[in-house]
């Protein structure tokens, strides 16, 4: 069965292109631009070409190395902008540099939360209580 659609613009030389971009600390988007294509195309090429997937993984590792080396070198320089460097690496390399806050909610003695369902028959409430529930529900809906 013949393939439908345009032929792929993939060229194996793009493996070296992305690696060279990685050595310069370039981003995934910059790698796509160097290959004269789009990020989504790089995604597809990685699915279709295992050698390209490996090259991109290597390129991204090289890019992180470039940024880490720049940070190490910059620490010795007076005019180094550490806050910009930190923002860049935290944005680009989240797994290693992003600040994380973990909030964990547990029940009594660290166990699972116990949830109790309550059924209210509003017909049994006086008009003021019904109005209060209605106001609370409307306020909650507006907050979403």
């Amino acid at each position: 069965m013949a393939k439908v659609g345009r032929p792929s613009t993939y060229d194996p030389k793009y493996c070296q292109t992305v690696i060279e971009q990685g050595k310069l600390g370039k981003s995934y988007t910059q790698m796509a631009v160097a290959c004269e294509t789009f990020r989504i195309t790089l995604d597809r090429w990685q699915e279709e070409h295992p050698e390209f997937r490996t090259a991109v993984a290597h390129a991204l590792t090289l890019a992180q190395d470039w940024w880490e080396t720049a940070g190490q070198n910059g620490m010795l320089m007076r005019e180094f902008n550490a806050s910009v460097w930190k923002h860049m690496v935290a944005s680009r390399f989240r797994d290693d540099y992003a600040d994380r806050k973990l909030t964990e909610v547990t029940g009594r003695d660290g166990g699972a939360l116990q949830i109790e369902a309550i059924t209210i028959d509003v017909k049994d409430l006086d008009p003021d209580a019904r109005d209060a529930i209605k106001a609370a529900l409307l306020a909650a809906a507006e907050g979403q």
Side-chain angles (χ1 to χ4, degrees):
M1 183 169 172
K3 284 189 174 184
V4 178
R6 293 187 322 203
S8 176
T9 56
Y10 174 75
D11 187 323
K13 73 179 180 185
Y14 292 141
C15 292
Q16 192 57 39
T17 300
V18 295
I19 289 171
E20 291 305 318
Q21 294 297 300
K23 288 178 182 177
L24 299 172
K26 302 296 184 174
S27 70
Y28 192 66
T29 297
Q30 290 171 308
M31 292 174 194
V33 170
C35 294
E36 299 180 354
T37 194
F38 305 98
R39 291 170 51 102
I40 194 166
T41 304
L42 293 190
D43 294 342
R44 189 181 74 247
W45 289 348
Q46 286 187 78
E47 290 174 16
E48 296 172 354
H49 306 280
E51 73 280 4
F52 187 70
R53 182 174 46 251
T54 300
V56 168
H58 184 58
L60 293 173
T61 300
L62 290 167
Q64 184 170 345
D65 175 65
W66 186 94
W67 280 94
E68 289 175 351
T69 300
Q72 287 174 329
N73 293 339
M75 290 187 326
L76 305 175
M77 298 166 55
R78 233 180 122 103
E79 59 278 347
F80 179 63
N81 192 332
S83 62
V84 170
W85 178 85
K86 181 180 184 232
H87 176 73
M88 291 296 293
V89 296
S91 297
R92 292 187 61 187
F93 312 111
R94 289 186 178 138
D95 289 344
D96 292 334
Y97 289 97
D99 293 332
R100 291 184 182 85
K101 291 183 181 178
L102 177 64
T103 303
E104 186 174 311
V105 180
T106 60
R108 181 175 295 168
D109 298 323
L113 286 176
Q114 301 299 313
I115 299 172
E116 181 180 337
I118 299 173
T119 303
I120 299 174
D121 188 349
V122 292
K123 292 181 279 183
D124 295 336
L125 300 175
D126 64 61
D128 288 338
R130 283 195 301 263
D131 288 344
I133 289 174
K134 182 178 179 181
L137 291 171
L138 289 173
E142 288 175 6
Q144 291 182 357

